[in-house]
Short mmCIF file of all heavy atoms in Angstrom, two decimals:
data_model
loop_
_atom_site.label_atom_id
_atom_site.label_comp_id
_atom_site.label_asym_id
_atom_site.label_seq_id
_atom_site.Cartn_x
_atom_site.Cartn_y
_atom_site.Cartn_z
N LEU A 592 -3.34 18.07 11.47
CA LEU A 592 -3.10 19.48 11.78
C LEU A 592 -3.08 20.32 10.50
O LEU A 592 -3.58 21.45 10.48
CB LEU A 592 -1.78 19.63 12.54
CG LEU A 592 -1.78 19.11 13.98
CD1 LEU A 592 -0.38 19.21 14.57
CD2 LEU A 592 -2.77 19.90 14.84
N GLY A 593 -2.51 19.75 9.44
CA GLY A 593 -2.52 20.46 8.16
C GLY A 593 -3.93 20.68 7.65
O GLY A 593 -4.23 21.73 7.07
N ALA A 594 -4.80 19.71 7.87
CA ALA A 594 -6.20 19.85 7.43
C ALA A 594 -6.90 20.96 8.20
O ALA A 594 -7.66 21.74 7.63
CB ALA A 594 -6.93 18.52 7.62
N TYR A 595 -6.65 21.03 9.51
CA TYR A 595 -7.25 22.11 10.30
C TYR A 595 -6.72 23.48 9.86
O TYR A 595 -7.45 24.47 9.84
CB TYR A 595 -6.98 21.89 11.78
CG TYR A 595 -7.81 20.78 12.39
CD1 TYR A 595 -7.21 19.71 13.04
CD2 TYR A 595 -9.20 20.82 12.33
CE1 TYR A 595 -7.98 18.69 13.60
CE2 TYR A 595 -9.97 19.81 12.89
CZ TYR A 595 -9.35 18.75 13.53
OH TYR A 595 -10.12 17.74 14.07
N ALA A 596 -5.42 23.53 9.50
CA ALA A 596 -4.84 24.78 9.03
C ALA A 596 -5.46 25.19 7.69
O ALA A 596 -5.73 26.38 7.46
CB ALA A 596 -3.32 24.64 8.90
N LEU A 597 -5.68 24.22 6.81
CA LEU A 597 -6.30 24.52 5.52
C LEU A 597 -7.71 25.10 5.69
O LEU A 597 -8.14 25.95 4.91
CB LEU A 597 -6.36 23.26 4.65
CG LEU A 597 -5.09 22.85 3.91
CD1 LEU A 597 -5.32 21.54 3.17
CD2 LEU A 597 -4.67 23.94 2.92
N GLU A 598 -8.42 24.62 6.70
CA GLU A 598 -9.78 25.11 6.93
C GLU A 598 -9.81 26.61 7.26
O GLU A 598 -10.82 27.27 7.05
CB GLU A 598 -10.42 24.33 8.09
CG GLU A 598 -11.00 22.99 7.68
CD GLU A 598 -11.92 22.43 8.74
OE1 GLU A 598 -11.65 22.62 9.94
OE2 GLU A 598 -12.92 21.78 8.37
N ARG A 599 -8.70 27.13 7.77
CA ARG A 599 -8.65 28.53 8.16
C ARG A 599 -8.29 29.45 7.00
O ARG A 599 -8.32 30.68 7.15
CB ARG A 599 -7.65 28.71 9.31
CG ARG A 599 -7.96 27.85 10.52
CD ARG A 599 -6.93 28.04 11.61
NE ARG A 599 -7.01 29.37 12.19
CZ ARG A 599 -7.82 29.70 13.20
NH1 ARG A 599 -8.64 28.79 13.72
NH2 ARG A 599 -7.83 30.93 13.66
N LEU A 600 -7.92 28.84 5.85
CA LEU A 600 -7.57 29.65 4.69
C LEU A 600 -8.83 30.15 3.99
O LEU A 600 -9.92 29.59 4.15
CB LEU A 600 -6.75 28.83 3.70
CG LEU A 600 -5.33 28.43 4.10
CD1 LEU A 600 -4.70 27.59 2.99
CD2 LEU A 600 -4.46 29.66 4.39
N ASP A 601 -8.64 31.19 3.19
CA ASP A 601 -9.71 31.64 2.31
C ASP A 601 -10.08 30.50 1.37
O ASP A 601 -9.19 29.79 0.88
CB ASP A 601 -9.21 32.85 1.52
CG ASP A 601 -10.23 33.30 0.48
OD1 ASP A 601 -11.22 33.93 0.86
OD2 ASP A 601 -10.01 32.99 -0.72
N PRO A 602 -11.36 30.25 1.13
CA PRO A 602 -11.76 29.11 0.28
C PRO A 602 -11.06 29.07 -1.07
O PRO A 602 -10.68 28.00 -1.53
CB PRO A 602 -13.27 29.32 0.12
CG PRO A 602 -13.68 30.04 1.35
CD PRO A 602 -12.53 30.96 1.67
N ALA A 603 -10.87 30.24 -1.70
CA ALA A 603 -10.21 30.26 -3.01
C ALA A 603 -8.75 29.85 -2.87
O ALA A 603 -8.22 29.09 -3.70
CB ALA A 603 -10.33 31.64 -3.64
N ALA A 604 -8.07 30.33 -1.83
CA ALA A 604 -6.67 29.98 -1.61
C ALA A 604 -6.53 28.50 -1.27
O ALA A 604 -5.59 27.82 -1.71
CB ALA A 604 -6.08 30.84 -0.50
N ARG A 605 -7.47 28.00 -0.48
CA ARG A 605 -7.46 26.58 -0.12
C ARG A 605 -7.62 25.71 -1.36
O ARG A 605 -6.92 24.72 -1.54
CB ARG A 605 -8.58 26.30 0.88
CG ARG A 605 -8.77 24.85 1.26
CD ARG A 605 -9.88 24.71 2.29
NE ARG A 605 -10.18 23.32 2.53
CZ ARG A 605 -11.03 22.61 1.80
NH1 ARG A 605 -11.66 23.17 0.77
NH2 ARG A 605 -11.24 21.33 2.09
N GLU A 606 -8.55 26.09 -2.24
CA GLU A 606 -8.77 25.34 -3.47
C GLU A 606 -7.54 25.35 -4.36
O GLU A 606 -7.16 24.32 -4.93
CB GLU A 606 -9.97 25.92 -4.21
CG GLU A 606 -10.37 25.17 -5.48
CD GLU A 606 -11.03 23.84 -5.20
OE1 GLU A 606 -11.38 23.58 -4.03
OE2 GLU A 606 -11.20 23.05 -6.15
N ARG A 607 -6.89 26.51 -4.48
CA ARG A 607 -5.68 26.60 -5.31
C ARG A 607 -4.58 25.71 -4.75
O ARG A 607 -3.87 25.03 -5.51
CB ARG A 607 -5.19 28.05 -5.38
CG ARG A 607 -6.00 28.95 -6.29
CD ARG A 607 -5.26 30.23 -6.61
NE ARG A 607 -4.94 30.99 -5.40
CZ ARG A 607 -5.75 31.89 -4.85
NH1 ARG A 607 -6.93 32.15 -5.40
NH2 ARG A 607 -5.39 32.55 -3.76
N LEU A 608 -4.41 25.70 -3.43
CA LEU A 608 -3.37 24.88 -2.81
C LEU A 608 -3.62 23.39 -3.03
O LEU A 608 -2.70 22.64 -3.38
CB LEU A 608 -3.30 25.18 -1.31
CG LEU A 608 -2.21 24.44 -0.53
CD1 LEU A 608 -0.83 24.86 -1.02
CD2 LEU A 608 -2.35 24.70 0.96
N LEU A 609 -4.87 22.98 -2.83
CA LEU A 609 -5.19 21.57 -3.03
C LEU A 609 -4.98 21.15 -4.47
O LEU A 609 -4.44 20.06 -4.74
CB LEU A 609 -6.64 21.30 -2.61
CG LEU A 609 -6.92 21.29 -1.10
CD1 LEU A 609 -8.41 21.21 -0.84
CD2 LEU A 609 -6.20 20.12 -0.43
N ARG A 610 -5.39 21.98 -5.41
CA ARG A 610 -5.21 21.65 -6.83
C ARG A 610 -3.73 21.67 -7.22
O ARG A 610 -3.30 20.88 -8.07
CB ARG A 610 -6.02 22.59 -7.71
CG ARG A 610 -7.52 22.37 -7.60
CD ARG A 610 -8.29 23.11 -8.67
NE ARG A 610 -9.72 22.89 -8.51
CZ ARG A 610 -10.36 21.80 -8.94
NH1 ARG A 610 -9.69 20.85 -9.56
NH2 ARG A 610 -11.67 21.69 -8.75
N ARG A 611 -2.96 22.56 -6.60
CA ARG A 611 -1.54 22.64 -6.93
C ARG A 611 -0.80 21.36 -6.55
O ARG A 611 0.11 20.92 -7.25
CB ARG A 611 -0.91 23.84 -6.20
CG ARG A 611 0.61 23.94 -6.32
CD ARG A 611 1.04 24.14 -7.77
NE ARG A 611 2.47 24.16 -7.91
CZ ARG A 611 3.24 23.08 -8.00
NH1 ARG A 611 2.69 21.86 -7.93
NH2 ARG A 611 4.55 23.17 -8.14
N PHE A 612 -1.18 20.76 -5.44
CA PHE A 612 -0.48 19.56 -4.96
C PHE A 612 -1.29 18.28 -5.17
O PHE A 612 -0.96 17.23 -4.60
CB PHE A 612 -0.11 19.72 -3.49
CG PHE A 612 0.96 20.74 -3.26
CD1 PHE A 612 0.63 22.01 -2.81
CD2 PHE A 612 2.28 20.46 -3.53
CE1 PHE A 612 1.61 22.97 -2.61
CE2 PHE A 612 3.27 21.40 -3.34
CZ PHE A 612 2.94 22.68 -2.89
N SER A 613 -2.33 18.34 -5.98
CA SER A 613 -3.12 17.17 -6.30
C SER A 613 -2.44 16.35 -7.39
O SER A 613 -1.74 16.89 -8.26
CB SER A 613 -4.51 17.59 -6.76
OG SER A 613 -5.25 16.48 -7.22
N THR A 614 -2.66 15.06 -7.36
CA THR A 614 -2.09 14.19 -8.39
C THR A 614 -3.09 13.97 -9.53
O THR A 614 -3.17 12.87 -10.08
CB THR A 614 -1.68 12.82 -7.80
OG1 THR A 614 -2.80 12.28 -7.08
CG2 THR A 614 -0.50 12.96 -6.87
N HIS A 615 -3.86 14.99 -9.87
CA HIS A 615 -4.79 14.82 -10.98
C HIS A 615 -4.02 14.76 -12.31
O HIS A 615 -2.83 15.10 -12.40
CB HIS A 615 -5.87 15.90 -10.99
CG HIS A 615 -5.36 17.31 -11.04
ND1 HIS A 615 -4.63 17.80 -12.09
CD2 HIS A 615 -5.49 18.33 -10.16
CE1 HIS A 615 -4.34 19.06 -11.88
NE2 HIS A 615 -4.84 19.41 -10.71
N ALA A 616 -4.70 14.32 -13.34
CA ALA A 616 -4.05 14.03 -14.63
C ALA A 616 -3.37 15.26 -15.23
O ALA A 616 -2.28 15.15 -15.80
CB ALA A 616 -5.08 13.46 -15.60
N ASP A 617 -3.98 16.42 -15.10
CA ASP A 617 -3.38 17.62 -15.68
C ASP A 617 -2.04 17.95 -15.03
O ASP A 617 -1.08 18.34 -15.71
CB ASP A 617 -4.33 18.81 -15.55
CG ASP A 617 -5.44 18.78 -16.59
OD1 ASP A 617 -5.43 17.86 -17.44
OD2 ASP A 617 -6.31 19.66 -16.56
N ASN A 618 -1.94 17.81 -13.71
CA ASN A 618 -0.68 18.08 -13.03
C ASN A 618 0.41 17.10 -13.47
O ASN A 618 1.56 17.48 -13.73
CB ASN A 618 -0.86 17.99 -11.51
CG ASN A 618 -1.19 19.33 -10.90
OD1 ASN A 618 -1.06 20.37 -11.54
ND2 ASN A 618 -1.61 19.32 -9.64
N LEU A 619 0.07 15.82 -13.54
CA LEU A 619 1.07 14.83 -13.92
C LEU A 619 1.43 14.96 -15.40
O LEU A 619 2.60 14.75 -15.77
CB LEU A 619 0.55 13.42 -13.61
CG LEU A 619 0.35 13.13 -12.11
CD1 LEU A 619 -0.17 11.72 -11.91
CD2 LEU A 619 1.64 13.34 -11.34
N ASP A 620 0.47 15.31 -16.24
CA ASP A 620 0.79 15.57 -17.64
C ASP A 620 1.78 16.73 -17.78
O ASP A 620 2.62 16.74 -18.69
CB ASP A 620 -0.48 15.90 -18.43
CG ASP A 620 -1.23 14.65 -18.87
OD1 ASP A 620 -0.65 13.55 -18.79
OD2 ASP A 620 -2.40 14.77 -19.30
N ALA A 621 1.69 17.70 -16.87
CA ALA A 621 2.58 18.86 -16.90
C ALA A 621 3.93 18.57 -16.24
O ALA A 621 4.78 19.45 -16.17
CB ALA A 621 1.92 20.04 -16.20
N GLY A 622 4.13 17.33 -15.78
CA GLY A 622 5.41 16.96 -15.19
C GLY A 622 5.59 17.39 -13.75
O GLY A 622 6.73 17.46 -13.27
N ARG A 623 4.50 17.65 -13.04
CA ARG A 623 4.62 18.05 -11.63
C ARG A 623 4.69 16.79 -10.76
O ARG A 623 3.76 16.48 -10.00
CB ARG A 623 3.43 18.93 -11.24
CG ARG A 623 3.35 20.23 -12.04
CD ARG A 623 2.33 21.19 -11.43
NE ARG A 623 2.23 22.39 -12.24
CZ ARG A 623 1.24 22.65 -13.10
NH1 ARG A 623 0.25 21.77 -13.24
NH2 ARG A 623 1.23 23.76 -13.80
N TRP A 624 5.80 16.08 -10.85
CA TRP A 624 5.94 14.80 -10.15
C TRP A 624 6.09 14.98 -8.64
O TRP A 624 5.92 14.00 -7.90
CB TRP A 624 7.14 14.04 -10.72
CG TRP A 624 7.01 13.80 -12.19
CD1 TRP A 624 7.77 14.36 -13.17
CD2 TRP A 624 6.06 12.96 -12.85
NE1 TRP A 624 7.36 13.92 -14.41
CE2 TRP A 624 6.31 13.07 -14.24
CE3 TRP A 624 5.01 12.14 -12.41
CZ2 TRP A 624 5.56 12.37 -15.19
CZ3 TRP A 624 4.26 11.45 -13.35
CH2 TRP A 624 4.53 11.57 -14.72
N GLU A 625 6.41 16.19 -8.19
CA GLU A 625 6.51 16.41 -6.76
C GLU A 625 5.17 16.23 -6.06
O GLU A 625 5.11 16.06 -4.84
CB GLU A 625 7.06 17.81 -6.47
CG GLU A 625 6.13 18.97 -6.78
CD GLU A 625 6.12 19.40 -8.24
OE1 GLU A 625 6.79 18.72 -9.06
OE2 GLU A 625 5.48 20.40 -8.55
N THR A 626 4.08 16.27 -6.85
CA THR A 626 2.77 16.06 -6.25
C THR A 626 2.58 14.63 -5.76
O THR A 626 1.73 14.39 -4.90
CB THR A 626 1.65 16.39 -7.25
OG1 THR A 626 1.76 15.52 -8.39
CG2 THR A 626 1.74 17.84 -7.72
N LEU A 627 3.37 13.69 -6.28
CA LEU A 627 3.20 12.29 -5.86
C LEU A 627 3.44 12.11 -4.37
O LEU A 627 2.58 11.55 -3.67
CB LEU A 627 4.11 11.38 -6.69
CG LEU A 627 3.69 11.17 -8.15
CD1 LEU A 627 4.78 10.45 -8.92
CD2 LEU A 627 2.38 10.39 -8.21
N PRO A 628 4.59 12.54 -3.82
CA PRO A 628 4.73 12.42 -2.36
C PRO A 628 3.94 13.48 -1.59
O PRO A 628 3.38 13.20 -0.52
CB PRO A 628 6.23 12.58 -2.13
CG PRO A 628 6.72 13.38 -3.29
CD PRO A 628 5.85 12.98 -4.45
N ALA A 629 3.87 14.71 -2.14
CA ALA A 629 3.23 15.80 -1.41
C ALA A 629 1.75 15.54 -1.17
O ALA A 629 1.21 15.90 -0.11
CB ALA A 629 3.41 17.11 -2.18
N SER A 630 1.08 14.90 -2.13
CA SER A 630 -0.36 14.67 -1.99
C SER A 630 -0.70 13.74 -0.84
O SER A 630 -1.86 13.72 -0.38
CB SER A 630 -0.94 14.11 -3.29
OG SER A 630 -0.31 12.88 -3.63
N ALA A 631 0.26 12.96 -0.37
CA ALA A 631 0.01 12.05 0.76
C ALA A 631 -0.05 12.79 2.09
O ALA A 631 -0.43 12.21 3.10
CB ALA A 631 1.08 10.98 0.82
N PHE A 632 0.32 14.07 2.09
CA PHE A 632 0.31 14.86 3.33
C PHE A 632 -0.84 15.85 3.39
O PHE A 632 -0.90 16.67 4.30
CB PHE A 632 1.64 15.60 3.48
CG PHE A 632 2.81 14.69 3.77
CD1 PHE A 632 3.50 14.07 2.75
CD2 PHE A 632 3.19 14.44 5.08
CE1 PHE A 632 4.56 13.23 3.02
CE2 PHE A 632 4.24 13.58 5.36
CZ PHE A 632 4.94 12.97 4.32
N LEU A 633 -1.73 15.79 2.41
CA LEU A 633 -2.86 16.70 2.35
C LEU A 633 -4.17 15.92 2.30
O LEU A 633 -4.23 14.86 1.65
CB LEU A 633 -2.78 17.61 1.12
CG LEU A 633 -1.66 18.65 1.09
CD1 LEU A 633 -1.62 19.32 -0.28
CD2 LEU A 633 -1.86 19.70 2.18
N VAL A 634 -5.17 16.43 2.96
CA VAL A 634 -6.53 15.90 2.85
C VAL A 634 -7.46 17.10 2.65
O VAL A 634 -7.16 18.21 3.07
CB VAL A 634 -6.96 15.08 4.09
CG1 VAL A 634 -6.21 13.76 4.15
CG2 VAL A 634 -6.74 15.87 5.37
N GLU A 635 -8.58 16.85 1.99
CA GLU A 635 -9.49 17.95 1.68
C GLU A 635 -10.17 18.51 2.92
O GLU A 635 -10.54 19.69 2.95
CB GLU A 635 -10.55 17.48 0.67
CG GLU A 635 -9.97 17.14 -0.70
CD GLU A 635 -11.05 16.81 -1.70
OE1 GLU A 635 -11.85 17.72 -2.02
OE2 GLU A 635 -11.11 15.65 -2.14
N GLU A 636 -10.35 17.70 3.93
CA GLU A 636 -10.94 18.14 5.19
C GLU A 636 -10.41 17.26 6.30
O GLU A 636 -9.87 16.16 6.04
CB GLU A 636 -12.47 18.06 5.13
CG GLU A 636 -12.99 16.69 4.78
CD GLU A 636 -14.49 16.68 4.54
OE1 GLU A 636 -15.05 17.75 4.25
OE2 GLU A 636 -15.09 15.59 4.67
N PRO A 637 -10.49 17.71 7.56
CA PRO A 637 -9.96 16.89 8.65
C PRO A 637 -10.53 15.47 8.64
O PRO A 637 -11.71 15.25 8.36
CB PRO A 637 -10.40 17.65 9.90
CG PRO A 637 -10.50 19.07 9.45
CD PRO A 637 -11.00 19.01 8.03
N MET A 638 -9.66 14.51 8.91
CA MET A 638 -10.09 13.11 8.91
C MET A 638 -11.02 12.84 10.09
O MET A 638 -10.77 13.34 11.20
CB MET A 638 -8.86 12.19 9.01
CG MET A 638 -7.90 12.29 7.85
SD MET A 638 -6.44 11.21 8.03
CE MET A 638 -5.53 12.08 9.34
N PRO A 639 -12.08 12.08 9.88
CA PRO A 639 -12.93 11.67 11.02
C PRO A 639 -12.08 10.93 12.04
O PRO A 639 -11.15 10.21 11.69
CB PRO A 639 -13.96 10.74 10.38
CG PRO A 639 -13.97 11.12 8.93
CD PRO A 639 -12.57 11.54 8.60
N LEU A 640 -12.40 11.11 13.31
CA LEU A 640 -11.59 10.53 14.37
C LEU A 640 -11.42 9.01 14.24
O LEU A 640 -10.30 8.50 14.39
CB LEU A 640 -12.18 10.88 15.73
CG LEU A 640 -11.39 10.37 16.95
CD1 LEU A 640 -9.98 10.91 16.95
CD2 LEU A 640 -12.13 10.75 18.24
N PRO A 641 -12.50 8.24 13.95
CA PRO A 641 -12.31 6.78 13.81
C PRO A 641 -11.30 6.43 12.72
O PRO A 641 -10.48 5.53 12.91
CB PRO A 641 -13.70 6.26 13.48
CG PRO A 641 -14.63 7.29 14.04
CD PRO A 641 -13.93 8.60 13.84
N TYR A 642 -11.37 7.14 11.57
CA TYR A 642 -10.43 6.84 10.50
C TYR A 642 -9.01 7.24 10.89
O TYR A 642 -8.05 6.51 10.61
CB TYR A 642 -10.82 7.55 9.21
CG TYR A 642 -9.81 7.35 8.10
CD1 TYR A 642 -9.75 6.15 7.40
CD2 TYR A 642 -8.89 8.35 7.79
CE1 TYR A 642 -8.81 5.95 6.39
CE2 TYR A 642 -7.94 8.15 6.79
CZ TYR A 642 -7.90 6.96 6.10
OH TYR A 642 -6.96 6.75 5.12
N ALA A 643 -8.85 8.40 11.54
CA ALA A 643 -7.52 8.84 11.95
C ALA A 643 -6.90 7.84 12.93
O ALA A 643 -5.70 7.52 12.83
CB ALA A 643 -7.60 10.23 12.59
N LEU A 644 -7.71 7.34 13.86
CA LEU A 644 -7.20 6.35 14.81
C LEU A 644 -6.85 5.04 14.11
O LEU A 644 -5.84 4.40 14.44
CB LEU A 644 -8.24 6.10 15.91
CG LEU A 644 -8.50 7.27 16.86
CD1 LEU A 644 -9.63 6.93 17.82
CD2 LEU A 644 -7.24 7.64 17.62
N LEU A 645 -7.68 4.63 13.14
CA LEU A 645 -7.40 3.41 12.40
C LEU A 645 -6.12 3.55 11.58
O LEU A 645 -5.30 2.63 11.51
CB LEU A 645 -8.58 3.07 11.50
CG LEU A 645 -8.47 1.77 10.69
CD1 LEU A 645 -8.33 0.56 11.62
CD2 LEU A 645 -9.68 1.60 9.78
N LEU A 646 -5.95 4.72 10.94
CA LEU A 646 -4.73 4.97 10.17
C LEU A 646 -3.51 4.89 11.06
O LEU A 646 -2.52 4.22 10.73
CB LEU A 646 -4.83 6.35 9.52
CG LEU A 646 -3.58 6.85 8.78
CD1 LEU A 646 -3.30 5.98 7.55
CD2 LEU A 646 -3.75 8.32 8.38
N ALA A 647 -3.56 5.55 12.22
CA ALA A 647 -2.42 5.51 13.15
C ALA A 647 -2.17 4.09 13.66
O ALA A 647 -1.02 3.68 13.81
CB ALA A 647 -2.68 6.46 14.33
N ALA A 648 -3.25 3.33 13.89
CA ALA A 648 -3.09 1.97 14.40
C ALA A 648 -2.45 1.05 13.37
O ALA A 648 -1.54 0.27 13.68
CB ALA A 648 -4.45 1.42 14.84
N VAL A 649 -2.93 1.12 12.12
CA VAL A 649 -2.40 0.25 11.06
C VAL A 649 -0.94 0.59 10.78
O VAL A 649 -0.07 -0.30 10.73
CB VAL A 649 -3.25 0.36 9.78
CG1 VAL A 649 -2.56 -0.30 8.60
CG2 VAL A 649 -4.62 -0.26 10.01
N LEU A 650 -0.65 1.87 10.62
CA LEU A 650 0.74 2.27 10.36
C LEU A 650 1.61 2.00 11.59
O LEU A 650 2.78 1.60 11.45
CB LEU A 650 0.80 3.75 9.99
CG LEU A 650 0.10 4.16 8.69
CD1 LEU A 650 0.32 5.63 8.41
CD2 LEU A 650 0.58 3.32 7.52
N GLY A 651 1.03 2.19 12.77
CA GLY A 651 1.79 1.92 13.99
C GLY A 651 2.14 0.46 14.14
O GLY A 651 3.26 0.13 14.55
N TYR A 652 1.21 -0.43 13.80
CA TYR A 652 1.51 -1.85 13.90
C TYR A 652 2.57 -2.24 12.87
O TYR A 652 3.48 -3.04 13.16
CB TYR A 652 0.26 -2.71 13.71
CG TYR A 652 0.57 -4.17 13.89
CD1 TYR A 652 0.74 -4.70 15.17
CD2 TYR A 652 0.77 -5.01 12.79
CE1 TYR A 652 1.08 -6.03 15.35
CE2 TYR A 652 1.10 -6.34 12.97
CZ TYR A 652 1.26 -6.84 14.25
OH TYR A 652 1.61 -8.16 14.42
N ALA A 653 2.45 -1.69 11.66
CA ALA A 653 3.47 -1.97 10.64
C ALA A 653 4.84 -1.50 11.11
O ALA A 653 5.86 -2.18 10.92
CB ALA A 653 3.09 -1.29 9.33
N GLU A 654 4.87 -0.35 11.73
CA GLU A 654 6.12 0.20 12.26
C GLU A 654 6.68 -0.69 13.37
O GLU A 654 7.88 -0.95 13.44
CB GLU A 654 5.87 1.62 12.76
CG GLU A 654 7.10 2.36 13.23
CD GLU A 654 6.78 3.77 13.68
OE1 GLU A 654 5.61 4.22 13.51
OE2 GLU A 654 7.70 4.43 14.21
N TYR A 655 5.79 -1.14 14.25
CA TYR A 655 6.21 -2.00 15.35
C TYR A 655 6.70 -3.36 14.86
O TYR A 655 7.71 -3.88 15.31
CB TYR A 655 5.04 -2.19 16.32
CG TYR A 655 5.28 -3.26 17.37
CD1 TYR A 655 6.05 -3.00 18.49
CD2 TYR A 655 4.73 -4.53 17.23
CE1 TYR A 655 6.29 -3.97 19.45
CE2 TYR A 655 4.95 -5.52 18.18
CZ TYR A 655 5.73 -5.23 19.29
OH TYR A 655 5.95 -6.21 20.23
#
Side-chain angles (χ1 to χ4, degrees):
L592 289 175
Y595 286 124
L597 280 177
E598 278 195 324
R599 303 179 69 87
L600 291 178
D601 175 76
R605 175 178 172 274
E606 184 73 11
R607 284 196 301 271
L608 182 64
L609 286 172
R610 290 192 181 279
R611 172 63 184 83
F612 291 102
S613 173
T614 52
H615 57 62
D617 281 358
N618 268 348
L619 294 180
D620 277 347
R623 298 191 182 103
W624 302 111
E625 71 277 5
T626 61
L627 288 170
S630 60
F632 290 86
L633 292 172
V634 289
E635 294 185 65
E636 56 188 22
M638 297 179 288
L640 182 59
Y642 176 77
L644 293 175
L645 182 60
L646 175 66
V649 168
L650 296 183
Y652 183 77
E654 185 178 354
Y655 170 79

